[in-house]
Amino acid sequence: MRGTTLFLAPPGTRGRTDIIFGEIVSCSPDNNFSDVLYLGPNAPYLTSVRRQFFSYVKRVLGKTAYIPFESRTIKQLALSLYQVSGQAEIVSDELRTLILLKIIGEKNLGYATLLSELYSKIKHHIVDKPLDGVKKEIGSLIVEDRARERALESIDVLQAYEDELRRKKLTDSEGILRECLPLIRGGLPPALLVLDGFLDPTPLETAIIRELIDNSGSAIILAEENTSLAGLAGDSRTFKVKKLKAAQQMNPRSYVLYPSMEEEVSGIVKSVKKLLMDGVQPWEVTISFPELSKYVSMVTRVCKKHGVPVSVIGHNASASQPVIVLQELITCIEEDYPRNDFLSLLTSPFNAAIPAAVKEWAVSFSYRAGIIKGKEAWLSIEKTLKNEARELSGPESTRIAEFQEGIKNIIDILEQVRHQRELSSFIDAFESALNSLGYPDGGGRELADGENDFSARLNMLLAEVRQFAALYGDSPKPDEFPGFYLRYLLEGLGSAEAAPGGVRIVPFPLAAAIETRELFFGGMIEGDFPSKPGIDPILPEQVKKALGLPYLEYYLSRQRKYFDRLLNISERPPRFSCPAADREKIFLPSPFLDWEQKQDPVAWDIYSQEEVLVREGILGIRGMDSGKRQNSGMTLGSAGAAFIQKKFRGYINVTDIDYYRKCPFRFYIEKVLGLEIVEPPRFEVEARLWGSLAHKTMEHLFRDGDIDIESIEHRLFHALESGLQQFPVGDFWSGVARDIFSRLLPGLKELETERKNQEYTVWMVEQKLSAEINGIKLKGKVDRVDVKRQRTEARAKGPGALTTDNRQRITDSGATVILLDYKTGNIDRDSLQLPLYALMWKETYPESIDRVGYYSLKEAGISWYPGKAGMDAYLSGAFAEAAALVRSMRDGNFPAAPFRPVECRNCGHGPLCNRVI
Ligand code: SF4
């Protein structure tokens, strides 16, 4: 070794990397830096260094072309050395956890993960002792029997793991690191070794660094004071130490307290936007949080809203959109297509081959069909929607059929995966399903940070699963789902290289190492910063300390040191912040902050386009005069009125008139414009679906005429099963429907017995009616007509056969009827449905009407009409009201005038008619 220069940097030293770059350039005057090995702590740090070096060469030397240096992490360097001469197959850290899982023979990933971490720590921190030596020491350190037994058993598992590696000719990242020491000694040394950014290397890494320094032509080390790297100088007289000048210490402890996390993120992003508007470049700004995963999606969303470019660096990719889609795909095949996961899969832009019609209608149709989960429910959407009480237009019917076809094809693709029991065939089928779905396509949109090289990373991950399948996967236990392994590996999917040029969003250890002009450090709440590691059920803290492994105080003091660096890392004073609460949860600021120096958020005059539009909308409505607001709604001009005349010129459905009566404006939105708010089905049978099922059940019950009271129970449940064939609501809700009818049964028996005692028998079910009354053409379908015979008619055919002949005979007999309308919800006493059915009946049939009634399938009771006023007054009053409504509708009047205020309670159109303001 020719010489080593150690640049010792006090906290807050500015321009440190420029000093190192100057040294590199002076050693390589011909712009060929290929002899330089630049070693950094992690890949994002090195990426940042390479970019800075490019700009340094351009800025200082005025050149853009040069042969770059080799940049590596210690792990990457060890891997490249091992690949030249190593014999064993390499397994990743994630595969180590899965191998440990196989060794312990459980499905408990938590314990296997702890063991994997313990193994890594032992190998990194106890460099000179094999596992049996560590086991002996643990045995002497733990006094309590059960704790000692547990700890020793864990070490036995780790020994079994090492034996397994030997037997199967495998090695892992710690094995490679250990084996690289002799390889460094015997390898080709770099002319210049540069060490930069190492804040707390482990003893194993320090040993490798030392070996590298000893075997390089010369070395430059940039180390902070009081770090283990700085301590290397004390070991060697050959080190030339240069102390860099410290910048003025800022040491600010003040912080901004925001009411909530969302407001904190909004405040940070608006402050960043203000800086950008003042001329600061995005890459000169860094945002970080102690728990980045809690904030990263919120920050990127708010930055996007404000047009602030971001580069997310060093963050695990498992929460990124493309990975979430894969996890949802696994959930779909594992848990029988739960609605939200399947909808997310169907509508994802990454699945380019899913037909546009499926993407567009998936949410609406699944909500309307009341799907909670279940393959059968998805495959029955068409049946369910077409069996619904309401009428479907031709185009809608075609759309539903196309949608159903698309869903069927997608489920066929996923079922191919579901049926694979062996891991290797599962992965093949999974990959083939992704191809069939057109994954991963960005759907024409620009892929976000971390998504660009996603295909390559996914292929590596699938190769890793195949590697595990070759080692262990093709002899699954009966209850083992192969997707379990894939899901686990997806959770550990590393971050991608971020697109350059945006505001840097980084984990806090990285924030403490990179130079920046502005630093925003949010989320500083007690418990998150400093945070404690989870409780270790294997080794007590004191034992870890005695063994030389990281223990609780180590983690706490490490965070303290990182915070001290953060205080001086940026050119401008860092801006700390924290939220006061997250919904019900109240937070305290981090103890690192000075609680006396709390500041209120600045109210920036900066708004996103979305905020401007919402505000304009609110002000626009508030600005209306009260009369206008009161009469909001829709009155159509002549062209609109002509359209309405045409739309409602023929027969008009009685239910439409009644819907218009309840609120003309809602009628306009839903029935004229065809815009409907479809709510996601809750964990209950959706009201409309339950109504349709109950109607269908009663129709099946009386389809063949009257029935004996003794057989009603058997027939009712038989009818319900027929109804469930048409409305497949899934096993759970089928059970609920059976329970509801069981509860109703005694009441229904009573009602039907009373009707029989009054000599009524069922005559017609789901009977269509139509008539023209005083120039208004009406149509509708009455649920049931019961008849009272005046004399015994001779039935031409067997009992129960309702033929035209039979009807004719009854008609001839001068019978009277009752009209019944089934209701599964509350009964609306002002409804026009029954009186209008009665009017149409009167126009069509000679039998006089005794009464009409709403037959409640909620409470098993019948509300009879008319009251004291008599049938004629009841019908003429209803017709006058209906005629006025039809005239108003045809004239194009659609005011927001609900029949009762209660209509607005369950209506989602409030924002359109100012009822919510
Ligand atoms: S909120 Fe009320 S007034 Fe507005 S559309 Fe709905 S029912 Fe009508």
Side-chain angles (χ1 to χ4, degrees), residues 632 662-667 669 895-916:
S632 68
K662 289 182 179 173
C663 177
F665 189 49
R666 185 173 61 192
F667 177 88
I669 294 168
F899 185 74
R900 287 197 198 89
V902 76
E903 292 297 332
C904 301
R905 199 180 296 159
N906 295 319
C907 174
H909 305 307
L912 293 175
C913 61
N914 79 50
R915 293 277 157 172
V916 290

Side-chain angles (χ1 to χ4, degrees), residues 18-59:
D18 273 11
I19 294 168
I20 298 292
F21 293 160
E23 292 288 322
I24 295 173
V25 168
S26 69
C27 293
S28 314
D30 55 352
N31 289 333
N32 178 357
F33 306 106
S34 57
D35 269 355
V36 179
L37 172 63
Y38 203 113
L39 221 57
N42 51 52
Y45 186 84
L46 289 171
T47 305
S48 163
V49 164
R50 281 196 303 272
R51 284 186 189 135
Q52 285 178 52
F53 187 67
F54 175 75
S55 88
Y56 176 88
V57 174
K58 198 172 153 194
R59 178 165 41 91

Side-chain angles (χ1 to χ4, degrees), residues 2 12 41 55 59 66 257 275 334 360 520 596 601 720 855 915:
R2 285 194 294 274
S55 88
R59 178 165 41 91
Y66 60 90
L257 183 70
L275 288 172
E334 195 179 16
E360 186 178 351
F520 290 82
E596 298 297 313
L720 176 60
Y855 191 129
R915 293 277 157 172

Side-chain angles (χ1 to χ4, degrees), residues 527-544:
D528 277 4
F529 203 54
S531 64
K532 287 184 193 164
I535 292 170
D536 185 348
I538 301 174
L539 289 181
E541 293 303 317
Q542 285 314 312
V543 175
K544 286 195 264 186

